[in-house]
PDB file of all heavy atoms in Angstrom:
ATOM      1  N   ALA A 309      -4.085  10.819   0.188  1.00 97.00           N
ATOM      2  CA  ALA A 309      -3.964  10.819  -1.273  1.00 97.00           C
ATOM      3  C   ALA A 309      -4.448  12.145  -1.856  1.00 97.00           C
ATOM      4  O   ALA A 309      -3.864  12.656  -2.814  1.00 97.00           O
ATOM      5  CB  ALA A 309      -4.748   9.660  -1.874  1.00 97.00           C
ATOM      6  N   LEU A 310      -5.477  12.716  -1.256  1.00 97.00           N
ATOM      7  CA  LEU A 310      -6.057  13.956  -1.764  1.00 97.00           C
ATOM      8  C   LEU A 310      -5.330  15.211  -1.275  1.00 97.00           C
ATOM      9  O   LEU A 310      -5.282  16.220  -1.976  1.00 97.00           O
ATOM     10  CB  LEU A 310      -7.533  14.031  -1.375  1.00 97.00           C
ATOM     11  CG  LEU A 310      -8.428  12.940  -1.974  1.00 97.00           C
ATOM     12  CD1 LEU A 310      -9.813  13.016  -1.374  1.00 97.00           C
ATOM     13  CD2 LEU A 310      -8.458  13.033  -3.484  1.00 97.00           C
ATOM     14  N   GLU A 311      -4.775  15.158  -0.054  1.00 97.00           N
ATOM     15  CA  GLU A 311      -4.226  16.366   0.558  1.00 97.00           C
ATOM     16  C   GLU A 311      -2.712  16.393   0.701  1.00 97.00           C
ATOM     17  O   GLU A 311      -2.094  17.452   0.633  1.00 97.00           O
ATOM     18  CB  GLU A 311      -4.864  16.563   1.940  1.00 97.00           C
ATOM     19  CG  GLU A 311      -6.362  16.785   1.873  1.00 97.00           C
ATOM     20  CD  GLU A 311      -7.014  16.833   3.242  1.00 97.00           C
ATOM     21  OE1 GLU A 311      -6.293  16.792   4.269  1.00 97.00           O
ATOM     22  OE2 GLU A 311      -8.251  16.915   3.294  1.00 97.00           O
ATOM     23  N   ASP A 312      -2.101  15.242   0.961  1.00 95.00           N
ATOM     24  CA  ASP A 312      -0.665  15.174   1.236  1.00 95.00           C
ATOM     25  C   ASP A 312      -0.158  13.802   0.811  1.00 95.00           C
ATOM     26  O   ASP A 312       0.111  12.947   1.646  1.00 95.00           O
ATOM     27  CB  ASP A 312      -0.417  15.418   2.734  1.00 95.00           C
ATOM     28  CG  ASP A 312       1.042  15.567   3.069  1.00 95.00           C
ATOM     29  OD1 ASP A 312       1.850  15.812   2.163  1.00 95.00           O
ATOM     30  OD2 ASP A 312       1.377  15.438   4.266  1.00 95.00           O
ATOM     31  N   PRO A 313      -0.054  13.567  -0.510  1.00 97.00           N
ATOM     32  CA  PRO A 313       0.123  12.208  -1.024  1.00 97.00           C
ATOM     33  C   PRO A 313       1.489  11.553  -0.801  1.00 97.00           C
ATOM     34  O   PRO A 313       1.625  10.353  -0.996  1.00 97.00           O
ATOM     35  CB  PRO A 313      -0.163  12.356  -2.513  1.00 97.00           C
ATOM     36  CG  PRO A 313       0.166  13.772  -2.818  1.00 97.00           C
ATOM     37  CD  PRO A 313      -0.194  14.546  -1.573  1.00 97.00           C
ATOM     38  N   GLU A 314       2.499  12.302  -0.398  1.00 96.00           N
ATOM     39  CA  GLU A 314       3.818  11.697  -0.191  1.00 96.00           C
ATOM     40  C   GLU A 314       3.917  11.147   1.224  1.00 96.00           C
ATOM     41  O   GLU A 314       3.719  11.871   2.194  1.00 96.00           O
ATOM     42  CB  GLU A 314       4.914  12.718  -0.458  1.00 96.00           C
ATOM     43  CG  GLU A 314       4.949  13.152  -1.915  1.00 96.00           C
ATOM     44  CD  GLU A 314       6.015  14.186  -2.206  1.00 96.00           C
ATOM     45  OE1 GLU A 314       6.792  14.537  -1.301  1.00 96.00           O
ATOM     46  OE2 GLU A 314       6.053  14.658  -3.353  1.00 96.00           O
ATOM     47  N   ALA A 315       4.217   9.853   1.327  1.00 92.00           N
ATOM     48  CA  ALA A 315       4.294   9.194   2.633  1.00 92.00           C
ATOM     49  C   ALA A 315       5.401   8.159   2.602  1.00 92.00           C
ATOM     50  O   ALA A 315       5.887   7.765   1.544  1.00 92.00           O
ATOM     51  CB  ALA A 315       2.955   8.538   2.973  1.00 92.00           C
ATOM     52  N   GLU A 316       5.789   7.704   3.787  1.00 90.00           N
ATOM     53  CA  GLU A 316       6.760   6.619   3.908  1.00 90.00           C
ATOM     54  C   GLU A 316       6.091   5.470   4.638  1.00 90.00           C
ATOM     55  O   GLU A 316       5.411   5.675   5.646  1.00 90.00           O
ATOM     56  CB  GLU A 316       7.997   7.079   4.683  1.00 90.00           C
ATOM     57  CG  GLU A 316       8.824   8.093   3.930  1.00 90.00           C
ATOM     58  CD  GLU A 316      10.088   8.484   4.663  1.00 90.00           C
ATOM     59  OE1 GLU A 316      10.061   8.590   5.912  1.00 90.00           O
ATOM     60  OE2 GLU A 316      11.112   8.688   3.991  1.00 90.00           O
ATOM     61  N   PHE A 317       6.311   4.267   4.120  1.00 89.00           N
ATOM     62  CA  PHE A 317       5.720   3.074   4.708  1.00 89.00           C
ATOM     63  C   PHE A 317       6.823   2.128   5.154  1.00 89.00           C
ATOM     64  O   PHE A 317       7.850   1.990   4.490  1.00 89.00           O
ATOM     65  CB  PHE A 317       4.773   2.401   3.705  1.00 89.00           C
ATOM     66  CG  PHE A 317       3.561   3.232   3.422  1.00 89.00           C
ATOM     67  CD1 PHE A 317       3.568   4.159   2.391  1.00 89.00           C
ATOM     68  CD2 PHE A 317       2.435   3.128   4.212  1.00 89.00           C
ATOM     69  CE1 PHE A 317       2.462   4.948   2.134  1.00 89.00           C
ATOM     70  CE2 PHE A 317       1.326   3.918   3.972  1.00 89.00           C
ATOM     71  CZ  PHE A 317       1.338   4.826   2.926  1.00 89.00           C
ATOM     72  N   TRP A 318       6.585   1.463   6.262  1.00 86.00           N
ATOM     73  CA  TRP A 318       7.532   0.570   6.894  1.00 86.00           C
ATOM     74  C   TRP A 318       7.561  -0.782   6.180  1.00 86.00           C
ATOM     75  O   TRP A 318       6.528  -1.296   5.764  1.00 86.00           O
ATOM     76  CB  TRP A 318       7.112   0.386   8.355  1.00 86.00           C
ATOM     77  CG  TRP A 318       7.933  -0.587   9.099  1.00 86.00           C
ATOM     78  CD1 TRP A 318       9.133  -0.346   9.705  1.00 86.00           C
ATOM     79  CD2 TRP A 318       7.632  -1.960   9.351  1.00 86.00           C
ATOM     80  NE1 TRP A 318       9.587  -1.491  10.292  1.00 86.00           N
ATOM     81  CE2 TRP A 318       8.679  -2.494  10.095  1.00 86.00           C
ATOM     82  CE3 TRP A 318       6.569  -2.789   9.003  1.00 86.00           C
ATOM     83  CZ2 TRP A 318       8.704  -3.815  10.507  1.00 86.00           C
ATOM     84  CZ3 TRP A 318       6.593  -4.111   9.422  1.00 86.00           C
ATOM     85  CH2 TRP A 318       7.651  -4.606  10.162  1.00 86.00           C
ATOM     86  N   LEU A 319       8.753  -1.340   6.052  1.00 85.00           N
ATOM     87  CA  LEU A 319       8.936  -2.675   5.495  1.00 85.00           C
ATOM     88  C   LEU A 319       9.782  -3.500   6.458  1.00 85.00           C
ATOM     89  O   LEU A 319      10.763  -2.994   7.008  1.00 85.00           O
ATOM     90  CB  LEU A 319       9.672  -2.620   4.153  1.00 85.00           C
ATOM     91  CG  LEU A 319       9.006  -1.887   3.005  1.00 85.00           C
ATOM     92  CD1 LEU A 319       9.994  -1.719   1.849  1.00 85.00           C
ATOM     93  CD2 LEU A 319       7.780  -2.660   2.543  1.00 85.00           C
ATOM     94  N   SER A 320       9.421  -4.759   6.642  1.00 80.00           N
ATOM     95  CA  SER A 320      10.231  -5.618   7.498  1.00 80.00           C
ATOM     96  C   SER A 320      11.480  -6.114   6.778  1.00 80.00           C
ATOM     97  O   SER A 320      12.478  -6.436   7.392  1.00 80.00           O
ATOM     98  CB  SER A 320       9.416  -6.806   8.008  1.00 80.00           C
ATOM     99  OG  SER A 320       8.956  -7.577   6.925  1.00 80.00           O
ATOM    100  N   ARG A 321      11.409  -6.179   5.440  1.00 77.00           N
ATOM    101  CA  ARG A 321      12.583  -6.503   4.648  1.00 77.00           C
ATOM    102  C   ARG A 321      12.630  -5.565   3.445  1.00 77.00           C
ATOM    103  O   ARG A 321      11.629  -4.963   3.075  1.00 77.00           O
ATOM    104  CB  ARG A 321      12.624  -7.951   4.178  1.00 77.00           C
ATOM    105  CG  ARG A 321      11.341  -8.669   4.067  1.00 77.00           C
ATOM    106  CD  ARG A 321      11.555 -10.047   3.507  1.00 77.00           C
ATOM    107  NE  ARG A 321      10.998 -10.048   2.181  1.00 77.00           N
ATOM    108  CZ  ARG A 321      10.064 -10.871   1.786  1.00 77.00           C
ATOM    109  NH1 ARG A 321       9.645 -11.816   2.565  1.00 77.00           N
ATOM    110  NH2 ARG A 321       9.563 -10.785   0.589  1.00 77.00           N
ATOM    111  N   ARG A 322      13.776  -5.470   2.853  1.00 74.00           N
ATOM    112  CA  ARG A 322      14.004  -4.456   1.827  1.00 74.00           C
ATOM    113  C   ARG A 322      13.162  -4.661   0.575  1.00 74.00           C
ATOM    114  O   ARG A 322      12.737  -3.730  -0.066  1.00 74.00           O
ATOM    115  CB  ARG A 322      15.485  -4.435   1.452  1.00 74.00           C
ATOM    116  CG  ARG A 322      15.817  -3.277   0.566  1.00 74.00           C
ATOM    117  CD  ARG A 322      17.303  -3.161   0.349  1.00 74.00           C
ATOM    118  NE  ARG A 322      17.572  -2.039  -0.516  1.00 74.00           N
ATOM    119  CZ  ARG A 322      17.369  -2.041  -1.826  1.00 74.00           C
ATOM    120  NH1 ARG A 322      16.889  -3.090  -2.419  1.00 74.00           N
ATOM    121  NH2 ARG A 322      17.642  -0.971  -2.544  1.00 74.00           N
ATOM    122  N   ASN A 323      12.896  -5.886   0.195  1.00 76.00           N
ATOM    123  CA  ASN A 323      12.212  -6.204  -1.057  1.00 76.00           C
ATOM    124  C   ASN A 323      13.015  -5.642  -2.228  1.00 76.00           C
ATOM    125  O   ASN A 323      14.068  -5.056  -2.059  1.00 76.00           O
ATOM    126  CB  ASN A 323      10.764  -5.711  -1.073  1.00 76.00           C
ATOM    127  CG  ASN A 323       9.917  -6.453  -0.054  1.00 76.00           C
ATOM    128  OD1 ASN A 323       9.937  -7.660   0.010  1.00 76.00           O
ATOM    129  ND2 ASN A 323       9.194  -5.706   0.771  1.00 76.00           N
ATOM    130  N   ARG A 324      12.515  -5.795  -3.406  1.00 87.00           N
ATOM    131  CA  ARG A 324      13.214  -5.310  -4.589  1.00 87.00           C
ATOM    132  C   ARG A 324      12.418  -4.178  -5.248  1.00 87.00           C
ATOM    133  O   ARG A 324      12.372  -4.060  -6.465  1.00 87.00           O
ATOM    134  CB  ARG A 324      13.418  -6.445  -5.584  1.00 87.00           C
ATOM    135  CG  ARG A 324      14.367  -7.512  -5.095  1.00 87.00           C
ATOM    136  CD  ARG A 324      14.715  -8.436  -6.214  1.00 87.00           C
ATOM    137  NE  ARG A 324      15.411  -9.652  -6.056  1.00 87.00           N
ATOM    138  CZ  ARG A 324      16.397  -9.983  -5.282  1.00 87.00           C
ATOM    139  NH1 ARG A 324      16.845  -9.138  -4.441  1.00 87.00           N
ATOM    140  NH2 ARG A 324      16.979 -11.150  -5.295  1.00 87.00           N
ATOM    141  N   MET A 325      11.818  -3.356  -4.438  1.00 93.00           N
ATOM    142  CA  MET A 325      11.049  -2.238  -4.973  1.00 93.00           C
ATOM    143  C   MET A 325      11.984  -1.209  -5.605  1.00 93.00           C
ATOM    144  O   MET A 325      13.064  -0.940  -5.076  1.00 93.00           O
ATOM    145  CB  MET A 325      10.247  -1.566  -3.871  1.00 93.00           C
ATOM    146  CG  MET A 325       9.136  -2.399  -3.335  1.00 93.00           C
ATOM    147  SD  MET A 325       8.284  -1.499  -2.019  1.00 93.00           S
ATOM    148  CE  MET A 325       6.972  -2.637  -1.676  1.00 93.00           C
ATOM    149  N   VAL A 326      11.530  -0.652  -6.719  1.00 95.00           N
ATOM    150  CA  VAL A 326      12.298   0.396  -7.392  1.00 95.00           C
ATOM    151  C   VAL A 326      11.340   1.527  -7.758  1.00 95.00           C
ATOM    152  O   VAL A 326      10.122   1.325  -7.829  1.00 95.00           O
ATOM    153  CB  VAL A 326      13.014  -0.134  -8.661  1.00 95.00           C
ATOM    154  CG1 VAL A 326      14.049  -1.199  -8.314  1.00 95.00           C
ATOM    155  CG2 VAL A 326      12.027  -0.655  -9.680  1.00 95.00           C
ATOM    156  N   PRO A 327      11.890   2.717  -7.999  1.00 97.00           N
ATOM    157  CA  PRO A 327      11.023   3.830  -8.396  1.00 97.00           C
ATOM    158  C   PRO A 327      10.171   3.451  -9.602  1.00 97.00           C
ATOM    159  O   PRO A 327      10.648   2.827 -10.552  1.00 97.00           O
ATOM    160  CB  PRO A 327      12.018   4.941  -8.731  1.00 97.00           C
ATOM    161  CG  PRO A 327      13.206   4.638  -7.865  1.00 97.00           C
ATOM    162  CD  PRO A 327      13.293   3.128  -7.864  1.00 97.00           C
ATOM    163  N   GLY A 328       8.898   3.824  -9.527  1.00 97.00           N
ATOM    164  CA  GLY A 328       7.955   3.525 -10.595  1.00 97.00           C
ATOM    165  C   GLY A 328       7.114   2.295 -10.339  1.00 97.00           C
ATOM    166  O   GLY A 328       6.076   2.112 -10.975  1.00 97.00           O
TER     167      GLY A 328
END
Side-chain angles (χ1 to χ4, degrees):
L310 297 173
E311 297 174 5
D312 188 17
E314 295 179 4
E316 292 183 323
F317 293 90
W318 176 84
L319 297 170
S320 60
R321 24 176 250 237
R322 189 173 180 284
N323 294 311
R324 293 191 190 322
M325 291 179 176
V326 297

